[in-house]
Amino acid sequence: MRMLACCERRPPSGDILVQKLNTRARSAAPDRERLAGSLAMLEAHRRDILLEAIARSAKELLRTSDMTRTIPIVLEHIGHATDVDRVHLLAVDPAGASDEGRIIDHSLWSAPGISTPAIFNDPRGRTFLEIGLKSWLPRLMRGECIAGNAGKFDESVRKFFEIGGVKSTVAVPVFLDDRWWGLIGFDDC
């Protein structure tokens, strides 16, 4: 009979299961709050690193009379702070055709261990069309930032980034006296 009595027991009611789940959810709430707090602290730390790099860069730029020596240092500060593999600063010819985007100057910082193909090392004298970024010109000239997974861009852009082993990129237009001057680019390889 005892065995029969055990078998006749009913499973716990839905109310008890709900209570157990609620208890578990309440006990997990502090973990979620700790995680959210940790993420907020991490984000604040990253922001502080970036602001420190900007401050150091501004200091370098204000102290120098030799920009060709200083720009690579500034790009290195920014590269480390943003945790990317490459940082580019491209200047375009202000006298050139606006639909051409001829690159007249290029500075580059690459993280240690990141190989950089020739076209990424020195694109000077080439146009955005020649390197495969013609579709970006109108957007950059309007002041739009361009960001994305390199494999999802149009074919010519995708091919250019494949050459450099770029997985994702961000291009931020730079303006001087309301005129598009060039861009600063960030690559993740």
Side-chain angles (χ1 to χ4, degrees):
M1 284 282 256
R2 278 171 129 179
M3 199 177 247
L4 186 58
C6 285
C7 293
E8 289 179 6
R9 277 192 216 162
R10 292 183 183 174
S13 73
D15 293 338
I16 293 172
L17 287 175
V18 168
Q19 288 172 0
K20 285 182 179 179
L21 288 173
N22 286 337
T23 301
R24 287 184 185 145
R26 279 194 302 275
S27 68
D31 291 338
R32 282 193 300 268
E33 290 170 10
R34 272 195 300 276
L35 178 61
S38 295
L39 290 174
M41 285 176 30
L42 178 62
E43 191 62 35
H45 179 68
R46 289 198 65 153
R47 184 195 65 233
D48 290 346
I49 290 171
L50 186 56
L51 290 173
E52 184 179 318
I54 291 168
R56 278 191 314 231
S57 298
K59 197 176 196 179
E60 291 280 344
L61 291 169
L62 290 171
R63 276 198 250 179
T64 190
S65 59
D66 182 6
M67 287 296 197
T68 58
R69 186 189 69 73
T70 304
I71 293 293
I73 295 167
V74 167
L75 295 181
E76 182 178 2
H77 291 323
I78 293 169
H80 285 295
T82 56
D83 195 26
V84 296
D85 295 317
R86 285 191 203 109
V87 181
H88 305 263
L89 183 64
L90 294 169
V92 295
D93 185 357
S98 63
D99 64 342
E100 190 175 74
R102 182 165 303 280
I103 299 164
I104 59 170
D105 199 12
H106 176 247
S107 296
L108 169 72
W109 172 82
S110 292
I114 299 298
S115 64
T116 305
I119 194 165
F120 276 73
N121 270 327
D122 193 8
R124 286 180 290 195
R126 294 190 172 121
T127 65
F128 272 60
L129 171 66
E130 291 170 335
I131 63 172
L133 300 177
K134 183 174 173 60
S135 63
W136 285 22
L137 271 176
R139 295 175 64 189
L140 291 166
M141 293 172 75
R142 286 193 304 265
E144 291 180 35
C145 292
I146 301 170
N149 180 315
K152 299 204 181 211
F153 290 122
D154 62 49
E155 185 179 354
S156 65
V157 175
R158 189 173 53 250
K159 283 182 180 178
F160 173 71
F161 287 122
E162 282 174 2
I163 292 169
V166 176
K167 294 177 186 170
S168 61
T169 191
V170 175
V172 179
V174 177
F175 284 79
L176 182 65
D177 296 329
D178 295 327
R179 183 186 57 78
W180 182 54
W181 178 88
L183 67 88
I184 185 165
F186 304 89
D187 297 339
D188 181 30
C189 301

